[in-house]
Amino acid sequence: MDHRRRCLEEVYETEKSYVKDLTYIVEEWLKPLRASEIIPRGQLPDIFSNLELILSVNSELLEKLEKCLQSYPAGTKGEDITGFGEIFESQSRLLVCYHQYCSNHNQSLEAVARWRKQSSKFEKFVAEKEGNSLSLGSYLIKPVQRICKYPLLFRELLKCTPQGHPDLEPLENAARVLNEVTTQINEIKRQAENLSKLHIISHQISEFPGNIVTEGRIFVKEGILDKINPKGKIQERFFVLFSDIIVWCERSGVRGRTAWRYRGHLSMDSTLVKMPDPVRDKTPKGLIPSSHMKRAFQLVQMARQKVYTLVAKDAAEKDEWATACEGVISGHQQQLQNTHNSVRGESRSSRADFGRQESAADVHALEEERPSATSLAQALSVEGLQKQNEELSKRLTTALELLAKAQKEKEGLRKQVRDIHARLDLLEA
């Protein structure tokens, strides 16, 4: 059997096995649970999501692949087999139904664990089923695995499909759509996981001033670090780094309640990361002990001109935290630069438009001087142009004001950096 034939057979056989697994989940898990009402029908989608729709889509795909292969005699060379490309091209758009399933997968596993705890009937049902087969979780992960495997199968199939083959273009089109689908699914899954993490953290921390779960906020890193306060006292703190702030907490000390109590946070859009200076930061009072120096890094809060010294368990962890913080800060700086460039672009565009309108006004003025060009229509045209110029002038003024404001903020940040360095030099002296 040649390489292309093997690739086609692998696509078909793996699809056949996958549909068999989907059918098993629906027939042996979903339908019995629906009939017995061990779990209320309205809550079954919490576990199985839109699995029945996925089974329908992939069953149709399998049927078409099977008909295609069976239409060729046994032993037919792979390069002589056509049709797989058109089949996947026509079916690939239907695979967007995986968006919902993949984004709900983590919540599905949480629902299974929750129902096993609160329902002895469900626990017994699961134990009996899992005693004869794979675990429910092992079956529920299969659609996620399958949608991620399609691009790999297509990549191999495209390698052995020669130029000019009837399947090449539709296979490339299908591969492009599947890559888009998997990219979207990965992004949806990432967003869902991030939202879930934010909710978990919000339940772990008490007394936070506001909401942990905020639109646009992304979880980055968490862990235990020592924080050295201005008096040189070393305090163990639980730190959580987000895309906009870093939060630190102390142990709550109250059983049955949240694990951590909020103690403070910094906004990362006006913060810098620096390594401690062995001479300047090791004061006679022992602000940073020698044993901690290689494991320490500092966050400089620009707005309040305050330095926070944090100590990790080792140098490697220190580098991880410093890099993560720098990444967040870099993201904010990039956003500021993008805003600055956007304002400058708008300003230039407005000035260019204004110049073009002035030129047009000059042309109309010249035409106005001609005796034959004194009609009411031309007069109205000039009047309308003047109004446009006035409006463009207002837009230009607004754009220039925004640009000046952005430049002023940037200069203010630079001044704060210079002030901090000056204060640190005074401390050293």
Side-chain angles (χ1 to χ4, degrees), residues 35-88:
S36 66
E37 295 189 357
I38 292 175
I39 295 177
R41 290 193 175 198
Q43 296 188 40
L44 282 174
D46 292 347
I47 296 176
F48 298 99
S49 190
N50 61 338
L51 193 65
E52 288 176 300
L53 175 59
I54 291 175
L55 173 59
S56 175
V57 169
N58 284 87
S59 294
E60 182 180 347
L61 173 61
L62 176 63
E63 183 180 353
K64 291 181 177 180
L65 294 177
E66 189 171 31
K67 286 182 179 179
C68 178
L69 280 180
Q70 290 179 351
S71 65
Y72 291 91
T76 302
K77 291 183 179 180
E79 64 182 32
D80 295 330
I81 298 176
T82 63
F84 266 46
E86 291 182 0
I87 292 171
F88 272 101

Side-chain angles (χ1 to χ4, degrees), residues 11-25 51 54-55 57-59 61-62 95 97-98 101-102 139-147 149-150:
V11 172
Y12 167 70
E13 291 296 337
T14 54
E15 188 68 24
K16 184 178 179 180
S17 176
Y18 172 58
V19 170
K20 181 180 178 182
D21 288 334
L22 292 183
T23 303
Y24 175 81
I25 302 172
L51 193 65
I54 291 175
L55 173 59
V57 169
N58 284 87
S59 294
L61 173 61
L62 176 63
L95 297 177
C97 62
Y98 279 79
Y101 187 90
C102 293
Y139 280 112
L140 293 175
I141 191 65
K142 288 185 178 291
V144 180
Q145 295 171 332
R146 185 60 180 175
I147 194 66
K149 189 173 183 180
Y150 281 126

Side-chain angles (χ1 to χ4, degrees), residues 205-405:
I205 299 175
S206 63
E207 302 178 20
F208 181 80
N211 294 319
I212 292 288
V213 183
T214 301
E215 183 177 358
R217 177 169 290 163
I218 300 172
F219 166 79
V220 179
K221 188 176 178 62
E222 66 181 351
I224 303 294
L225 295 171
D226 286 334
K227 177 176 172 289
I228 302 179
N229 70 10
K231 295 181 180 180
K233 183 179 179 181
I234 299 175
Q235 304 165 320
E236 182 185 82
R237 293 290 183 258
F238 174 65
F239 280 80
V240 186
L241 175 63
F242 298 103
S243 56
D244 57 336
I245 59 175
I246 184 169
V247 180
W248 58 92
C249 313
E250 65 179 2
R251 297 185 186 277
S252 67
V254 180
R255 291 185 178 181
R257 296 186 181 180
T258 54
W260 306 98
R261 181 187 296 114
Y262 167 83
R263 297 300 297 167
H265 75 275
L266 288 178
S267 177
M268 298 301 288
D269 62 353
S270 59
T271 300
L272 296 177
V273 178
K274 66 180 288 290
M275 295 299 116
D277 187 295
V279 177
R280 176 162 39 196
D281 294 318
K282 186 186 176 185
T283 68
K285 294 182 179 180
L287 179 60
I288 304 180
S290 300
S291 59
H292 289 55
M293 188 63 69
K294 292 183 179 180
R295 299 184 284 121
F297 68 100
Q298 294 175 321
L299 298 179
V300 183
Q301 220 287 329
M302 307 297 292
R304 291 185 288 174
Q305 299 186 1
K306 191 172 181 179
V307 179
Y308 296 82
T309 301
L310 310 178
V311 183
K313 66 180 180 181
D314 52 44
E317 186 181 57
K318 175 205 72 175
D319 291 340
E320 290 177 5
W321 272 99
T323 300
C325 291
E326 288 172 342
V328 170
I329 295 167
S330 176
H332 282 282
Q333 292 175 341
Q334 186 61 50
Q335 288 179 358
L336 180 62
Q337 185 63 45
N338 292 342
T339 301
H340 179 66
N341 293 339
S342 176
V343 171
R344 291 183 64 186
E346 184 178 344
S347 173
R348 289 172 181 171
S349 176
S350 297
R351 277 186 258 185
D353 290 343
F354 186 63
R356 286 193 290 271
Q357 293 295 338
E358 282 187 323
S359 298
D362 291 340
V363 171
H364 279 284
L366 289 172
E367 292 293 330
E368 191 76 13
E369 293 175 359
R370 298 179 183 179
S372 59
T374 57
S375 66
L376 177 61
Q378 286 176 318
L380 290 173
S381 176
V382 172
E383 184 181 353
L385 187 57
Q386 290 173 342
K387 290 182 178 179
Q388 289 180 21
N389 284 341
E390 291 174 1
E391 180 62 28
L392 286 169
S393 296
K394 292 178 181 178
R395 289 176 58 191
L396 176 59
T397 300
T398 301
L400 291 174
E401 288 175 351
L402 289 172
L403 177 59
K405 182 179 179 181

Side-chain angles (χ1 to χ4, degrees), residues 161-172:
T161 301
Q163 291 292 327
H165 194 282
D167 259 358
L168 184 61
E169 184 177 350
L171 277 174
E172 289 175 337

Side-chain angles (χ1 to χ4, degrees), residues 96-121:
V96 295
C97 62
Y98 279 79
H99 284 177
Q100 178 182 339
Y101 187 90
C102 293
S103 64
N104 291 337
H105 179 65
N106 286 344
Q107 291 89 329
S108 171
L109 298 181
E110 291 172 3
V112 171
R114 185 172 62 253
W115 277 103
R116 292 190 73 163
K117 288 182 179 179
Q118 68 185 50
S119 172
S120 58
K121 290 183 179 179

Side-chain angles (χ1 to χ4, degrees), residues 88-97 176-177 180-181:
F88 272 101
E89 186 177 26
S90 64
Q91 293 289 116
S92 58
R93 291 292 177 186
L94 297 177
L95 297 177
V96 295
C97 62
R176 184 176 63 255
V177 173
E180 292 173 358
V181 170

